[in-house]
Each structure stands twice: as structure tokens, then as C-alpha cells.
Amino acid sequence: MTLEDHEAVDVVGSVAPCDVMFVCEHASNHFPDEFGDLGLSDDAKISHVAWDPGALALTKELASRFEATYVAGAVSRLLYDCNRPPEAESAIPTRSEIFDIPGNEGLDTAARTARVEQIYKPFRAATEQTMEMVHPKALVTVHSFTPVFHGKPRAVEIGILHDRDTRLADAMLTAMKGAEFNVQRNEPYGPEHGVTHSLKTYALPSKTPNVMLEVRNDLLREPEAIAKMADTIADALRAGLASLAAENAQRGAQ
């Protein structure tokens, strides 16, 4: 048995032109039978190392506010992290924070290639095809992070991440000054940690404004909290898009 393309990725929405397209690479902690459970404990399989808790729920809330299409991973990132290129060791990690991943140890080239073919390539193809059909004015990837990492608490609550295209991140950070949440640029991760693969792959080539969101997952545990977070981010995103549109109009008038 092999994993079918449609089992590796979900595309939700009308696939019609829209202002924003969302991507949630780490939406699921599903382990298809053919891969087994990688030797993980039940605690590990539901922890943040296997997926981004709350990220899919936040993606759905944001997509509904923008009447937007989103692309979501449908299997655990421990099988393959779709926000990493195939050549990256972290694409199929053998350890994540405090958890060893026994089922990823000692994989030969054929086994790694099979993961790429069955998980990463369908995800990438679906994302690229959706981008072509949607023609979004911005691409936003949605992630969550654990409030305590390697025993150290994290104060940041919302991270606005970017690679070399800072346009949308700059505008959103300006819009979020004075927000009730602790909002930081390129925290708790940044380009130096290899986390901007999706931005570089799907947005930078077409010069589509883009941003990666990182939201602390303790703020995404209840529907009301998720809705509140979506409102906050959607307001900043709308303001950011309006700012970019005004700048483009001004340049066009010159």
C-alpha cells in the first residue's frame, strides 16, 4: 500500500482569485498505517513535535474571514516536514526537542526518497497549483509553537516571520504596535533556523508579499481564544495589505 496524493494534503476553498492564500504545513498529527507510529509514545504523537496544535483551527478562522483558500498538510511533520526541502536533515528528523524518533533513524536513500515522493511532492504540487489558480495578493503560512522549549519559557506570543521580502511583515508589525499580545519579528524562529522554505518556494519567485505566522499554542486551546487571535491577526493583515496597496498606487502615480 502506498499513500495516495490526496491523503498527504488537503486543499479547502473555491480555488478562485482571492486576496490571501493560507498554507498550514503542520496541520495534522496523523500517522498513516503504512508508516506505523515511528516507535513514538502516545504522548509524543499528540505533542507539538508531531504537529502544530491549534494551527489548523486558526487557519480555518483566518480563511473564513478572507473567504480564502487554504492548503494543509494531512500527515505528521515527523514523517516529513513540508516546510523543509528534501536535502535538509530536519525534513525527516531523528530527534525533536526532548523526543527521539526511532522510526526515522537509519533510513536509507530509498526510504527517504519514498517519503519525499509520497508526502512532500504532492504537498508542493498542490500548493503551487493552488497559487496559480488563486493568484493571491499575499501568501500567509500559519504555525504554532510551544510556550516552553527545552525547559525555557517563551514570552513572545505572536511571531511575524519573513525571509528577504519584508514588505508584509513590516506593515503588519506596524499595525500591531500597541496590541495586547507580545508580538515580535522573526521570533521564536527566523530564517537562520531554516523555517522559511515555504515562503522562499511559493512566494518569493513570483514576488508575492508573504509572511509566516507563529502563534504560541497555549493561546489556541479554546474556540473563543482562537477566534480572538484570528480577529487580531486578520485586522493586522488587512491593514498590511491596505498599506502595500497604497504604496503600489503611489509608485504607479509617480
Side-chain angles (χ1 to χ4, degrees):
M1 178 185 295
T2 59
L3 191 68
E4 298 293 337
D5 286 1
H6 68 273
E7 295 177 316
V9 59
D10 293 320
V11 179
V12 180
S14 62
V15 196
C18 58
D19 286 344
V20 187
M21 176 178 147
F22 295 94
V23 176
C24 188
E25 300 97 320
H26 307 151
S28 175
N29 64 343
H30 176 54
F31 292 84
D33 291 342
E34 67 188 273
F35 297 108
D37 60 8
L38 302 184
L40 297 169
S41 66
D42 289 341
D43 287 343
K45 287 188 290 185
I46 63 172
S47 77
H48 68 275
V49 304
W51 65 324
D52 281 357
L56 180 59
L58 178 60
T59 299
K60 290 178 177 179
E61 288 284 341
L62 289 168
S64 70
R65 283 156 174 74
F66 287 88
E67 298 183 350
T69 299
Y70 68 85
V71 177
V75 299
S76 172
R77 65 177 173 188
L78 294 180
L79 293 168
Y80 188 96
D81 186 335
C82 287
N83 193 29
R84 299 291 190 279
E87 64 271 17
E89 287 296 323
S90 57
I92 305 176
T94 56
R95 184 173 176 82
S96 184
E97 200 198 358
I98 62 173
F99 295 98
D100 290 321
I101 319 298
N104 287 346
E105 294 177 0
L107 293 181
D108 60 19
T109 301
R112 290 184 68 89
T113 299
R115 301 266 189 101
V116 172
E117 293 291 330
Q118 295 181 70
I119 301 172
Y120 176 69
K121 286 190 175 180
F123 183 91
R124 178 165 179 166
T127 304
E128 291 176 337
Q129 291 166 9
T130 305
M131 282 282 288
E132 290 176 3
M133 290 184 283
V134 169
H135 295 295
K137 296 176 183 177
L139 179 73
V140 177
T141 66
V142 184
H143 299 256
S144 72
F145 64 94
T146 180
V148 179
F149 189 66
H150 286 291
K152 296 181 179 180
R154 288 160 154 172
V156 61
E157 294 175 314
I158 303 175
I160 305 295
L161 282 60
H162 60 79
D163 201 88
R164 63 180 181 270
D165 180 355
T166 70
R167 292 173 294 168
L168 185 53
D170 290 343
M172 288 183 67
L173 286 163
T174 296
M176 298 181 88
K177 286 181 178 178
E180 63 177 288
F181 296 104
N182 183 331
V183 184
Q184 300 292 331
R185 180 191 300 269
N186 284 338
E187 292 289 346
Y189 308 105
E192 69 274 17
H193 300 111
V195 300
T196 55
H197 172 68
S198 289
L199 302 185
K200 293 191 292 183
T201 301
Y202 309 121
L204 295 191
S206 60
K207 298 182 180 179
T208 302
N210 59 89
V211 74
M212 176 178 172
L213 302 174
E214 282 279 6
V215 178
R216 213 172 65 192
N217 66 33
D218 60 320
L219 303 173
L220 300 173
R221 290 177 181 165
E222 302 295 336
E224 296 81 4
I226 294 167
K228 178 180 179 181
M229 183 61 68
D231 287 339
T232 298
I233 292 172
D235 287 347
L237 185 51
R238 288 192 188 95
L241 291 172
S243 176
L244 294 186
E247 290 176 7
N248 289 337
Q250 184 176 14
R251 281 196 295 269
Q254 292 175 350

